Amino acid sequence: MSAVCALAVAGTGLTGCSSEDPDAGTNGVGKLAPEKIQSRTRSAAAAVDTVRLSGSVVAGGTSYRLDMRLKSAGGTGSVTADGVTFHLLRVDDQLFLKADAAFWNHDDGSGKSGTASDEAAAGKLDGKYVKVPSGDPSYKKFSGFTDKDLLLGDLLTLHGKLGKDGYHERGGVRSVRVTGDGGSGGTLDVSLEGKPYPLRLVRAGDAGTLTFSAWGQDFTLEQPSKDETVDYGKELPES
């Protein structure tokens, strides 16, 4: 606080009168135009190998709740859709899905569950990793949730004219917020500390909210052991 400000505070009883520089001690991206901030955060996200992504995504009319750890070689974590949670694990090109019997023996919409043979098959899959054949529709549907570059490339884009919505804080980390069309095209909070990593994304059109953390924190990806795995063959049962 300056000497003039200190005298003013002492004479008036005010608690403070200085205006702190919001960019002091930061990585400086808050000073940039919003287009530059978006470009910097996309580059920072692409350059680092690992991240944790959690939150909700609406895709194809379905809302998915994600909690995934991602790296260039694959990813692992949980996905919840329609009240059912399953686990995904991808190591290189090998994708595995683990769920309970209820996931496999689903209600087909008629109000009736599966047949006795369906229930028996679901029981064998209960709690086991099922290797998803690359040609199965489920492979394309679910592998995207484990693909860091694909996910972030699609997600870290705001729509409409870019602007800034001031300085904020996410999880104790100072951030600057970038908006698309004043917020209707989404908002993205970018770290002002260290690398300008994305911290929180609110997608346009109520299409989900995601948080990003653990940037650069490595983790191990290993294929499940044989006794944890069921190889269902060329095509998975419908789920």
Side-chain angles (χ1 to χ4, degrees):
M1 184 184 296
S2 69
V4 172
C5 184
L7 286 171
V9 169
T12 64
L14 298 175
T15 57
C17 62
S18 64
S19 57
E20 228 177 86
D21 180 1
D23 295 301
T26 72
N27 55 26
V29 297
K31 301 176 182 180
L32 302 178
E35 293 81 8
K36 286 281 189 180
I37 299 174
Q38 179 173 253
S39 176
R40 292 280 183 91
T41 197
R42 288 172 66 93
S43 296
V48 72
D49 190 50
T50 59
V51 65
R52 182 173 182 174
L53 177 155
S54 59
S56 60
V57 172
V58 178
T62 299
S63 180
Y64 297 93
R65 186 81 188 171
L66 309 178
D67 187 0
M68 302 294 300
R69 296 197 69 181
L70 307 172
K71 63 193 310 183
S72 56
T76 182
S78 65
V79 179
T80 301
D82 297 325
V84 177
T85 299
F86 53 95
H87 189 90
L88 292 175
L89 169 64
R90 182 175 63 84
V91 183
D92 296 322
D93 293 330
Q94 304 299 310
L95 178 66
F96 302 87
L97 187 154
K98 181 169 72 172
D100 61 19
F103 175 86
W104 299 109
N105 188 37
H106 68 290
D107 188 324
D108 62 6
S110 65
K112 299 178 181 179
S113 59
T115 64
S117 60
D118 291 335
E119 292 178 2
K124 292 179 181 179
L125 301 178
D126 183 28
K128 295 284 190 179
Y129 281 101
V130 177
K131 185 176 180 181
V132 182
S134 59
D136 191 275
S138 295
Y139 187 95
K140 183 177 181 180
K141 180 178 179 180
F142 294 136
S143 63
F145 291 136
T146 67
D147 190 320
K148 172 181 174 287
D149 292 337
L150 177 63
L151 265 180
L152 296 188
D154 287 344
L155 293 174
L156 297 180
T157 300
L158 301 175
H159 301 281
K161 182 176 176 59
L162 298 184
K164 291 196 287 188
D165 185 24
Y167 295 85
H168 301 268
E169 187 176 293
R170 301 299 312 172
V173 178
R174 288 177 294 171
S175 64
V176 61
R177 181 169 297 167
V178 182
T179 65
D181 274 348
S184 63
T187 68
L188 181 65
D189 286 16
V190 177
S191 176
L192 290 173
E193 302 178 18
K195 301 289 186 181
Y197 295 130
L199 299 178
R200 180 176 183 263
L201 171 72
V202 178
R203 302 182 70 205
D206 296 322
T209 298
L210 292 163
T211 59
F212 308 91
S213 60
W215 290 100
Q217 296 181 20
D218 199 17
F219 62 96
T220 301
L221 276 178
E222 292 181 343
Q223 291 192 22
S225 62
K226 287 187 177 181
D227 61 350
E228 296 178 294
T229 309
V230 175
D231 190 343
Y232 207 83
K234 293 184 178 181
E235 186 176 346
L236 293 184
E238 293 185 4
S239 57

